[in-house]
Amino acid sequence: GKGDFDAITTAVMAALAFEAFINEVEQLARQMVVTDDPAEYPVVLSFDPSAPKLKNSLKGAVRAGTLVRHDRFWKALTGREADSRREPRLSLKIVFAVRNAIAHMKSQETEIYPEIREDQKAPGTYYLGNFIEHHPQPDFMPELEARGLLNPAAGPWGQWSLRISSQPFANWICETVELAARDLVSQFPADSTMRSRLMDNSLAGFSNDRRLRRRLRRSEPEASPEKS
């Protein structure tokens, strides 16, 4: 139905929104610097002490992915590596895994098993019932299932694109992206020009931060994976 595709669209748009946010952080960092090369930086809005740190963090990372740039910005602002085992960075990794799986979806081999049933009227006699389809499941599906975000009507072996088509999944992916953006902005100094610009523009009108954190914690499984 229409709702099935709404969740998939939400996943793609949420990932794109976060990518646009990271692009904006990078653009502001490149603008808010003091430079003697007007050809490289023709527009200087104002100086922000955080800007050179962010700009320098991207050295050697030409066309780096969104998560790579996020992690470099995080380290530049905090002096610490981004911990992919903690929220919201843990969920952010899943968001982009889902987005990539949707964007690069390919035809896959489906396993079909005949259902063997015993004839209740003639014990010891068996016949073929329905055929059961087992669709390949991406690596992130157990994590989403543990968080209770999947559509139960699609079954455990249904097409994964249908299994993620649920209201809880759509809500979770939007809240994850928002909270991850807020978390990064909160690492800027309180008097930072970049912080105020990002809060007024990128995060204007978004939800309450504490409410989002509570909801994300409720969706997190007891044991988080150790993989980065």
Side-chain angles (χ1 to χ4, degrees):
K2 181 177 180 295
D4 297 341
F5 296 101
D6 285 347
I8 295 176
T9 302
T10 300
V12 174
M13 296 304 295
L16 286 176
F18 190 78
E19 183 176 2
F21 165 73
I22 291 296
N23 289 343
E24 183 176 10
V25 174
E26 179 178 350
Q27 182 181 18
L28 286 176
R30 293 186 183 281
Q31 290 177 329
M32 295 187 174
V33 293
V34 175
T35 177
D36 296 326
D37 185 358
E40 183 180 2
Y41 301 106
V43 180
V44 178
L45 299 179
S46 61
F47 176 70
D48 188 308
S50 301
K53 297 179 182 178
L54 297 174
K55 173 178 168 290
N56 292 334
S57 72
L58 294 179
K59 287 183 177 180
V62 179
R63 295 185 179 181
T66 301
L67 293 182
V68 172
R69 286 183 292 156
H70 167 276
D71 292 352
R72 292 201 176 197
F73 291 158
W74 182 275
K75 185 176 181 180
L77 293 169
T78 67
R80 306 186 309 273
E81 298 286 348
D83 190 347
S84 61
R85 297 170 298 179
R86 293 183 178 275
E87 295 292 3
R89 180 59 176 79
L90 171 62
S91 289
L92 194 61
K93 176 187 174 184
I94 304 173
V95 168
F96 278 88
V98 173
R99 177 265 176 200
N100 291 340
I102 294 173
H104 305 291
M105 194 178 297
K106 299 179 181 178
S107 298
Q108 294 179 312
E109 185 175 304
T110 303
E111 297 178 353
I112 300 178
Y113 298 90
E115 184 181 22
I116 308 299
R117 295 183 177 179
E118 184 175 6
D119 191 335
Q120 299 299 318
K121 296 181 179 180
T125 303
Y126 298 87
Y127 65 94
L128 289 177
N130 297 325
F131 285 90
I132 303 172
E133 294 184 357
H134 281 204
H135 294 269
Q137 304 293 311
D139 293 340
F140 53 75
M141 293 300 285
E143 183 81 18
L144 296 178
E145 186 172 19
R147 295 167 182 253
L149 300 175
L150 300 180
N151 176 10
W157 292 104
Q159 296 180 26
W160 70 266
S161 57
L162 297 180
R163 295 185 70 201
I164 66 172
S165 297
S166 72
Q167 189 68 47
F169 171 82
N171 291 340
W172 166 82
I173 206 164
C174 291
E175 291 168 354
T176 294
V177 164
E178 180 184 342
L179 186 54
R182 295 176 72 95
D183 246 23
L184 185 62
V185 171
S186 69
Q187 306 309 312
F188 284 87
D191 59 351
S192 167
T193 305
M194 288 188 65
R195 176 178 179 142
S196 61
R197 283 180 177 272
L198 291 169
M199 288 297 297
D200 292 342
N201 298 325
S202 298
L203 298 178
F206 279 108
S207 308
N208 178 271
D209 183 75
R210 292 181 180 177
R211 179 183 64 81
L212 283 175
R213 290 181 188 279
R214 287 196 298 269
R215 292 186 64 163
L216 196 59
R217 279 199 297 269
R218 284 200 296 269
S219 72
E220 185 179 2
E222 294 181 3
S224 300
E226 294 294 322
K227 294 187 293 184
S228 59

